[in-house]
């Protein structure tokens, strides 16, 4: 047996072009050269992805001229905005973007809603997250609209919805900017009181009909990955059916997430659908089940994948962050601190546009 040796290898690369919205990675793979009794020749034994220092994907680009935005309806119950082929209908009383229509086609079942909960993992049960953070389970649903403000400029309309999240007595704001056949969604939350437990996730959930089954994204993959379990998943463009993104653990639990997502699309068989792009990296999940479908309460119950019935609708989580999985042990250790959601405020932004 020869001792391990170290060797420096120079790789000649052309200088990348520094441009907003463009980034470069170097993927390196190591394979066995010769076969052994245990490992065949050509077997991958190591891999790594290196991001170029010049990468500047999320730098804002120069704004271009866009179609004007018209307010085509505004009463006590609803405001409707039209720009080009896109029409956005907002429910003032509930403070939601309830309908997004392109031409005569409705894009979704329901628009962005606050979401703070994930189906607990085995590690979560080990460190009592389902018990300690239970207040977040319905915090995004039990809310009251405090203010619905409209601000119109020449080429855009900004709608700001201020909520109170009643379970946690905290302010939560979604700001929609409708401009040039796109909708920008800016989400912010601040803790309204001390002593709130850790968040399992910070994000929003949208619901789409089953026809938008084709999922494509630019981020880490192709398998599921989480903030503290993602370096084996390289950044690239991946795709597949929504129904293929889930992973059936022996006991149903949180699964199928993707991190460092730059953009994603959900389309039908004709290529029509939506594309969502982050102003920063996103944490994304698409599934035919909600977190509640995989959450059987406290204490942990020994259920099986065969007991989970997929729903027809598609549930899309567009999140800023999800709590790390942890796993130093499964009987009490928490995720490492960089992967926990312990701040007293979070905000993020993404943009929705139509693909046709």
């Amino acid at each position: 047996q020869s001792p391990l040796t170290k060797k420096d290898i120079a790789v000649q690369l052309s200088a990348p072009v520094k441009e907003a919205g463009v980034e470069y990675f170097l993927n390196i793979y190591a394979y066995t050269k010769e076969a052994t009794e245990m490992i065949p020749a050509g077997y991958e034994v190591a891999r790594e992805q290196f991001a170029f220092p010049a990468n500047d994907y999320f730098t804002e680009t120069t704004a271009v001229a866009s179609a004007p935005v018209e307010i085509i309806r505004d009463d006590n119950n609803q405001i409707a905005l039209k720009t080009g082929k896109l029409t956005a209908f907002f429910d003032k009383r509930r403070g939601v973007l309830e309908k997004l229509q392109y031409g005569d086609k409705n894009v979704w079942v329901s628009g962005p809603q606050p979401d703070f909960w994930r189906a607990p993992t085995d590690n979560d049960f080990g460190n009592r997250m389902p018990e300690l953070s239970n207040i977040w389970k319905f915090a995004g649903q039990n809310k009251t609209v405090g203010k619905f403000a409209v601000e119109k400029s020449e080429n855009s309309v900004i709608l700001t919805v201020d909520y109170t999240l009643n379970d946690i007595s905290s302010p939560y704001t979604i700001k929609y900017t409708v401009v040039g056949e796109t909708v920008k969604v800016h989400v912010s939350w601040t803790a309204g009181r001390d002593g709130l437990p850790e968040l399992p996730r910070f994000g929003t959930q949208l619901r789409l009909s089953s026809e938008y089954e084709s999922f494509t994204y630019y981020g880490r993959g192709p398998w599921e990955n989480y903030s503290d379990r993602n370096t084996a998943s390289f950044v690239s463009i991946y795709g597949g059916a929504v129904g293929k993104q889930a992973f059936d653990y022996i006991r149903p639990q949180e699964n199928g997430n993707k991190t460092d997502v730059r953009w994603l699309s959900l389309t039908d068989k004709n290529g029509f659908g939506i594309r969502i792009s982050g102003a920063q990296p996103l944490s994304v999940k698409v599934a035919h089940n909600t977190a509640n479908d995989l959450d059987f309460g406290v204490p942990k119950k020994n259920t099986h994948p065969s007991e989970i019935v997929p729903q027809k609708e598609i549930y899309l989580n567009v999140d800023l962050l999800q709590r790390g999985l942890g796993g130093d042990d499964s009987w009490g250790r928490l995720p490492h601190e960089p992967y926990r959601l312990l701040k007293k405020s979070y905000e993020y932004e993404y943009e929705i546009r139509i693909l046709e």
Side-chain angles (χ1 to χ4, degrees):
Q1 247 185 355
S2 60
L4 294 175
T5 60
K6 178 181 178 180
K7 184 177 181 180
D8 292 332
I9 299 175
V11 179
Q12 299 296 325
L13 299 171
S14 301
V17 178
K18 187 172 182 179
E19 181 182 347
V22 176
E23 56 186 341
Y24 299 85
F25 296 90
L26 173 63
N27 298 343
I28 294 181
Y29 304 84
Y31 301 91
T32 54
K33 187 174 182 180
E34 299 175 354
T36 67
E37 293 180 356
M38 298 288 292
I39 302 175
Y43 185 83
E44 183 183 311
V45 293
R47 56 160 61 187
E48 185 61 272
Q49 182 176 66
F50 299 91
F52 279 58
N55 285 356
D56 207 10
Y57 185 86
F58 292 102
T59 296
E60 289 189 17
T61 56
T62 303
V64 296
S66 58
V69 181
E70 299 178 73
I71 299 177
I72 60 173
R73 176 178 175 177
D74 190 4
D75 55 36
N76 290 333
N77 297 316
Q78 188 182 72
I79 182 170
L81 311 177
K82 183 172 176 59
T83 171
K85 294 182 181 180
L86 185 72
T87 308
F89 298 86
F90 294 84
D91 185 319
K92 286 184 172 182
R93 297 182 184 275
R94 295 187 298 126
V96 297
L97 175 49
E98 62 178 348
K99 187 176 180 182
L100 196 66
Q101 188 171 306
Y102 195 77
D104 59 356
K105 194 171 181 65
N106 190 27
V107 178
W108 59 44
V109 177
S110 65
Q113 289 288 299
D115 196 6
F116 301 96
W117 190 251
R118 76 172 184 203
T121 67
D122 287 334
N123 288 344
D124 290 335
F125 277 105
N127 58 51
R128 298 175 58 210
M129 186 280 279
E131 175 187 347
L132 298 176
S133 294
N134 188 60
I135 197 170
W136 293 106
K137 192 169 185 177
F138 300 108
Q141 300 175 32
N142 184 14
K143 58 187 184 297
T144 303
V145 177
K147 183 182 75 171
F148 191 103
V150 180
E151 179 184 350
K152 190 178 188 314
S153 64
E154 183 179 354
N155 290 319
S156 69
V157 174
I158 300 173
L159 298 95
T160 304
V161 187
D162 291 334
Y163 301 97
T164 296
L165 302 180
N166 300 314
D167 292 351
I168 56 172
S169 304
S170 296
Y172 183 98
T173 299
I174 300 185
K175 182 173 72 175
Y176 301 95
T177 302
V178 180
V179 56
E181 292 193 333
T182 66
V183 179
K184 293 183 179 180
V185 182
H186 184 275
V187 178
S188 60
W189 163 81
T190 301
R193 60 180 173 88
D194 294 333
L196 288 173
E198 180 180 358
L199 285 75
R201 83 184 326 143
F202 181 76
T204 54
Q205 186 179 90
L206 302 83
R207 287 190 297 149
L208 290 84
S209 65
S210 59
E211 63 190 298
Y212 301 106
E213 180 68 17
S214 180
F215 174 53
T216 305
Y217 72 99
Y218 177 30
R220 291 190 180 272
W223 44 78
E224 67 172 20
N225 53 91
Y226 292 78
S227 59
D228 58 349
R229 295 288 187 277
N230 68 4
T231 54
S233 305
F234 287 0
V235 176
S236 187
I237 296 176
Y238 302 99
V242 170
K244 298 293 185 181
Q245 304 307 310
F247 186 89
D248 286 338
Y249 288 96
I250 293 176
R251 192 191 67 79
Q253 55 194 283
E254 162 61 32
N255 68 85
N257 194 69
K258 312 293 193 298
T259 63
D260 287 338
V261 174
R262 280 71 166 151
W263 57 259
L264 69 99
S265 67
L266 285 167
T267 55
D268 62 18
K269 61 183 180 181
N270 298 316
F272 179 87
I274 63 170
R275 172 169 164 144
I276 294 178
S277 305
Q280 68 295 294
L282 299 169
S283 179
V284 168
K285 176 178 177 176
V286 290
H288 284 291
N289 290 101
T290 66
N292 286 340
D293 292 339
L294 309 177
D295 181 357
F296 302 92
V298 179
K300 180 170 67 174
K301 294 178 176 61
N302 290 321
T303 52
H304 303 87
S306 59
E307 299 175 54
I308 307 301
V309 179
Q311 300 188 32
K312 288 185 177 181
E313 290 179 349
I314 294 168
Y315 297 88
L316 167 63
N317 267 90
V318 183
D319 305 331
L320 174 64
L321 294 166
Q322 191 180 142
R323 185 188 202 234
L325 298 178
D328 287 358
D329 64 45
S330 297
W331 50 89
R333 295 292 292 273
L334 293 164
H336 291 192
E337 190 161 331
Y339 310 108
R340 299 178 64 194
L341 278 63
L342 300 171
K343 295 181 181 179
K344 293 187 176 182
S345 65
Y346 288 99
E347 65 177 318
Y348 74 119
E349 184 175 297
Y350 56 89
E351 178 183 279
I352 304 168
R353 68 178 179 87
I354 306 301
L355 298 175
E356 59 175 333

